[in-house]
Amino acid sequence: MAPSPRFPLLQRLAASLDQLGWRDSAWLAVARLLESVPGGRCALYRYQFVAQAVAPGSLCRGRGQSIAVAPCLAEADLPPGPERRPGALHERYRQGAQCLVARDKSGMAGWIWLLRHGCQEDEVRARYALASNQSSWDLDVWVHPERRGGLVFARLWEEANAVLHAQGVRWTCSRISRFNRASLGAHARLGTHALGTATFIRCGRWQWMAASLPPYIHLSRRPDDIPCLAFDTSTLPHFPSLELTCRILKQ
């Protein structure tokens, strides 16, 4: 029996359990509780790490050509986009990131960020390293809310595939919030391999990490005490098929 509309809390709980399962729903409840601590001093992040095959060819089968995707080489040239932590975009460029920006006749439609040699995490104190020179890192795939459900997501990945494949990259790795089922589903439709998970809890200067890969457990209170998680795509068994249609790739 569905929860009565007179009990919105029960409705939200039922929806969370349906989308996330009991384990991630419990973590999400803890995250919401920590968010209520005054001053934003505490937070919880739970990540899924995945690898996605890189291959040439058109994901859109020639469609979506009105959506232009091009690199933006400097922070000053970025069009207005989603709000990010102060200094985060500057730090990405400092690490050598490349931003691919999608535009259509209405303007900014989306972006994706690529880092050739791993990256420093935006949200927590963590470093992601890549063991294979045929790997890259992607992050912050964003599509303007008014363009979701169209071809922007597919066009971004189509261009990212072309750029990375030309650089000799065969796998691109990324982290996704375990609380974001839409993003997890979109990546899964592209064909991904799970690489592990990690949970971070931050309270003031203290940060605790528990991960499914080395170093497994880490506790720190200094900004320079950063755990490094390494990902090796050379052991992956096969390349998933990239013969996907635009209909499948739509968000």
Side-chain angles (χ1 to χ4, degrees), residues 36-145:
S36 68
V37 175
R41 291 176 51 82
C42 297
L44 184 149
Y45 302 91
R46 185 159 163 79
Y47 297 143
Q48 175 78 51
F49 302 104
V50 299
Q52 176 183 308
V54 173
S58 174
L59 295 179
C60 285
R61 309 285 179 89
R63 298 178 62 192
Q65 294 308 303
S66 62
I67 303 168
V69 181
C72 187
L73 303 179
E75 183 181 3
D77 298 328
L78 279 173
E83 184 177 351
R84 295 294 180 257
R85 177 182 58 80
L89 303 185
H90 175 77
E91 176 62 21
R92 291 178 189 178
Y93 276 114
R94 189 195 65 78
Q95 294 179 60
Q98 181 178 21
C99 182
L100 300 181
V101 176
R103 294 180 174 87
D104 59 17
K105 62 182 180 180
S106 299
M108 167 74 154
W111 69 23
I112 182 173
W113 293 77
L114 308 174
L115 286 128
R116 188 65 178 83
H117 303 290
C119 79
Q120 192 90 9
E121 174 59 59
D122 281 352
E123 296 180 329
V124 299
R125 294 197 298 268
R127 170 76 184 171
Y128 305 139
L130 299 173
S132 170
N133 60 10
Q134 290 190 326
S135 297
S136 185
W137 196 268
D138 68 81
L139 71 155
D140 200 3
V141 185
W142 173 80
V143 176
H144 193 287

